[in-house]
Amino acid sequence: MKRNNSYIYLPLAFALLFISGIWVGKFVSRNNIHHGSAASRADKISSIIDFVQDQYVDTINREKLIDKTIADMLQSLDPHSAYMTADERKRMNEPLEGNFEGIGVEFNIMSDTIRIMNVIAGGPSENAGLHTGDRIVKVDDKPFTGKTITGSVVMKTLRGKGGTRVKLSLKRPGTASLVDIGITRGTVPIYSIDAAYLLNKNVGYIKLSRFAATSYDEYLQAFKKLKEKGMQKLILDLRGNGGGYLNIAVALADEFLSKGKLIVYTKGRSVKHGGEKFTATAGGEFEDNTLAVLIDENSASASEIIAGAIQDNDRGLLIGRRSFGKGLVQKELELPDGSAFRLTIARYYTPSGRCIQRPYDKGAEEYYQEESDRFKNGELESIDSIKFSQSQKYRTPKGKVVYGGGGIMPDIFVPLDTAERNHQVNELIFHGIVKDFALEYTDTRTEVLRKAGFEAFRKSFLPETLLPQLLAYAEKKKHPATKKLSEGSQAFLLNYLKATIARVVWNEESFYVILNTDDKTLARALLEVEK
């Protein structure tokens, strides 16, 4: 289908959460802030800031005050209209643009030393010969270790304009002397697809993490690879996918729907954004084969457009938990100083006519608190805890009842297993204990594991033998795990450890290949598509 280079955003994962306010009371001074009856209402902001800068009791930073004022103003409209400084805009757009400039590594700081976690495929570091497991001890012949080396310092030092060079001195496992490598900074790709592989002889699995500029092309490449290997059925994993570009979501949905099927439409107040309809073309490569889409409470925006189009056209099964509920469309406008703002210009509607945007009338803080409220209310564990407004009931062409006003409910609900992912297991994962332990374990074993091969690791590596060491390591790091780990939580923790070791030694896809072996939502999807 025709590609549009003018991107409209539907970002949740990249939203700025400036939850604050400015209160302007009566001024004690009798000085007029602005003279002249011709002053427009728009002059008020500038006049107040001038007055504050001139007479406030402490010195202020005018630019920061302006930035905060704009941010608060936009935040008062809805949770997704947002202001970004030039630096914030650059950081937030990089994941959606699909690339940035630097050397192309993921790193972790352990014992005041930088260890390379991943060398990004197609980036400058891969071309220069950097390896996973290498430790950076010098940069441009100057020591680069110690407590002053923080993540922000590393980013500032290693990233830079394309074409500039940096010399790294590395401690490489199995090598006695330092290895010096010169790297010319350049374009580093950011990939949207975390994994694409066959679950069995004919069922493919693709995990998409965002809807970036390159996501559709990445999908086509992954699809082609799996089709050549015999894929006849597909499970598309959109769990945790917070959104991205509208046109990329439309292009991907077009791959699954036959010509003329409605994908999504928008309604806005202005004439320009008053109503756009997006329909499928005849160019889809997977219009008739069995399809399942995985969603959860963190699937939002563009992910929900895909899910809504599939569900409302009775095209495939949605499996998992209720999605986030973002039905607003933003447009980004750049300002002269490089800053920008994203303004909500329309609502989008699924083919059945529902807007799945959940209420935000109680403010942004409560709006983003809803995910934890779902957990507290038991919704993530029981479908009976989910309440839908009967006034927003719709039907698909085959008569299936669907609801608007609060996310997309999957066709098959799979509860969160809190026995597996209990608080203590989550603590070990989120505080990096499992990752750090995996790094230490692989420090002297990476080459041995890599030489044996991933398939041998997947089939024969037994993480159970590492449990006592992992728990002792957690105790040492002051994150002790309970001695009463349930059978389910212990099994999940060990599988997660094995997957993390695979990620360190191989790549992101190997992580999901291992992790997915114990994924109940994926297991249910596989059962359904094989019926």
Side-chain angles (χ1 to χ4, degrees):
M1 66 181 294
K2 185 178 180 180
R3 302 288 295 281
N4 184 353
N5 292 323
S6 177
Y7 294 125
I8 298 295
Y9 293 77
L10 296 103
L12 166 72
F14 313 107
L16 289 174
L17 308 182
F18 292 105
I19 304 170
S20 55
I22 293 179
W23 178 78
V24 181
K26 294 181 179 179
F27 292 106
V28 175
S29 170
R30 295 180 180 226
N31 296 339
N32 289 328
I33 296 177
H34 193 92
H35 296 282
S37 58
S40 68
R41 290 180 180 272
D43 290 330
K44 283 185 177 182
I45 294 176
S46 179
S47 298
I48 291 173
I49 290 176
D50 287 342
F51 188 83
V52 170
Q53 185 176 28
D54 182 53
Q55 300 202 25
Y56 185 62
V57 63
D58 295 321
T59 301
I60 66 162
N61 184 314
R62 182 183 180 89
E63 294 305 314
K64 286 186 177 180
L65 184 59
I66 291 173
D67 288 346
K68 189 175 190 306
T69 302
I70 297 172
D72 291 338
M73 175 184 68
L74 291 170
Q75 186 70 76
S76 71
L77 299 175
D78 66 81
H80 300 289
S81 291
Y83 171 76
M84 301 160 283
T85 65
D87 287 342
E88 288 167 341
R89 181 178 182 240
K90 182 178 179 181
R91 290 196 303 270
M92 291 170 66
N93 279 350
E94 278 177 353
L96 293 180
E97 289 171 352
N99 62 75
F100 64 93
E101 289 189 333
I103 68 169
V105 296
E106 295 174 8
F107 64 89
N108 192 66
I109 301 176
M110 289 188 61
S111 302
D112 304 327
T113 303
I114 305 156
R115 175 168 174 172
I116 304 301
M117 287 281 294
N118 180 38
V119 179
I120 298 174
S125 289
E126 182 187 52
N127 296 332
L130 224 63
H131 295 171
T132 300
D134 285 345
R135 296 174 184 267
I136 301 176
V137 295
K138 290 183 181 179
V139 175
D140 291 330
D141 296 321
K142 296 178 181 178
F144 203 64
T145 59
K147 295 188 180 299
T148 60
I149 305 301
T150 62
S152 59
V153 170
V154 176
M155 294 283 286
K156 185 177 180 180
T157 303
L158 298 185
R159 293 183 67 168
K161 189 175 180 180
T164 59
R165 284 184 64 81
V166 62
K167 177 184 175 183
L168 304 182
S169 297
L170 311 166
K171 174 60 179 168
R172 177 165 290 171
T175 304
S177 58
L178 294 182
V179 177
D180 291 333
I181 291 180
I183 303 175
T184 299
R185 297 182 179 93
T187 300
V188 180
I190 300 176
Y191 298 107
S192 304
I193 291 183
D194 293 331
Y197 64 96
L198 289 179
L199 295 168
N200 56 33
K201 289 183 179 180
N202 67 348
V203 180
Y205 169 86
I206 297 178
K207 181 169 181 61
L208 185 68
S209 60
R210 64 180 68 86
F211 289 85
T214 61
S215 298
Y216 179 63
D217 292 333
E218 288 182 52
Y219 166 81
L220 292 179
Q221 292 172 14
F223 176 84
K224 181 180 178 182
K225 179 186 76 171
L226 294 181
K227 191 173 182 181
E228 289 173 349
K229 291 182 177 180
M231 179 183 69
Q232 298 175 6
K233 303 174 182 181
L234 175 63
I235 297 174
L236 178 65
D237 192 346
L238 298 181
R239 291 175 295 177
N241 185 322
Y245 292 130
L246 170 61
N247 65 330
I248 301 298
V250 169
L252 185 57
D254 192 8
E255 291 296 309
F256 308 124
L257 298 171
S258 58
K259 183 178 180 180
K261 294 291 186 181
L262 182 60
I263 296 173
V264 66
Y265 65 96
T266 64
K267 289 182 182 180
R269 184 175 62 85
S270 72
V271 175
K272 187 174 182 181
H273 305 294
E276 289 185 278
K277 284 190 176 183
F278 300 88
T279 56
T281 68
E285 294 290 329
F286 204 76
E287 295 179 353
D288 301 315
N289 300 62
T290 302
L291 173 69
V293 179
L294 310 186
I295 60 172
D296 66 7
E297 55 279 1
N298 294 311
S299 302
S301 186
S303 292
E304 293 172 300
I305 286 179
I306 299 285
I310 298 302
Q311 188 175 60
D312 285 10
N313 283 293
D314 295 305
R315 169 62 185 88
L317 284 175
L318 301 189
I319 301 172
R321 294 185 292 278
R322 182 164 67 103
S323 65
F324 182 87
K326 179 181 182 293
L328 304 178
V329 182
Q330 284 76 46
K331 183 174 183 178
E332 181 177 296
L333 291 93
E334 184 177 5
L335 301 174
D337 64 351
S339 62
F341 66 94
R342 289 177 183 168
L343 183 69
T344 297
I345 58 171
R347 290 181 173 84
Y348 72 76
Y349 296 80
T350 68
S352 66
R354 52 180 170 154
C355 180
I356 51 82
Q357 175 64 48
R358 53 190 172 88
Y360 52 84
D361 54 303
K362 294 182 180 180
E365 187 170 7
E366 187 160 332
Y367 177 78
Y368 284 103
Q369 181 69 25
E370 201 217 30
E371 183 183 345
S372 60
D373 291 341
R374 292 187 192 186
F375 180 81
K376 293 175 184 177
N377 297 337
E379 174 183 325
L380 303 184
E381 300 175 66
S382 171
I383 192 172
D384 296 331
S385 301
I386 305 173
K387 302 292 187 282
F388 285 103
S389 171
Q390 294 298 313
S391 65
Q392 297 199 45
K393 181 187 292 187
Y394 302 83
R395 289 187 182 275
T396 70
K398 291 186 177 180
K400 180 167 54 183
V401 175
V402 293
Y403 295 92
I408 293 176
M409 185 66 195
D411 303 303
I412 298 174
F413 177 81
V414 180
L416 179 69
D417 192 334
T418 54
E420 282 188 352
R421 294 294 299 267
N422 62 28
H423 174 72
Q424 287 157 323
V425 169
N426 284 334
E427 285 282 299
L428 293 180
I429 293 172
F430 295 144
H431 287 281
I433 302 301
V434 176
K435 180 188 70 175
D436 290 347
F437 177 78
L439 282 168
E440 287 203 3
Y441 176 79
T442 58
D443 192 32
T444 59
R445 298 176 174 88
T446 296
E447 293 305 317
V448 174
L449 291 170
R450 194 174 287 157
K451 186 175 180 180
F454 175 71
E455 279 305 308
F457 174 84
R458 184 178 67 84
K459 293 176 180 178
S460 60
F461 184 82
L462 300 176
E464 291 82 0
T465 59
L466 300 179
L467 183 61
Q469 298 174 51
L470 174 60
L471 297 182
Y473 184 83
E475 184 83 33
K476 178 182 175 182
K477 296 294 182 179
K478 303 189 186 305
H479 282 283
T482 177
K483 295 180 180 179
K484 298 180 180 179
L485 282 171
S486 68
E487 185 176 339
S489 61
Q490 180 174 309
F492 176 82
L493 178 62
L494 290 172
N495 192 54
Y496 192 92
L497 172 60
K498 181 175 179 178
T500 305
I501 291 172
R503 172 188 272 158
V504 173
V505 176
W506 287 283
N507 52 34
E508 190 75 6
E509 181 169 285
S510 66
F511 172 82
Y512 284 102
V513 171
I514 301 295
L515 191 68
N516 285 345
T517 59
D518 194 31
D519 189 316
K520 290 180 173 56
T521 303
L522 180 57
R524 180 61 187 273
L526 186 58
L527 180 67
E528 293 296 327
V529 300
E530 290 190 310
K531 284 183 178 179

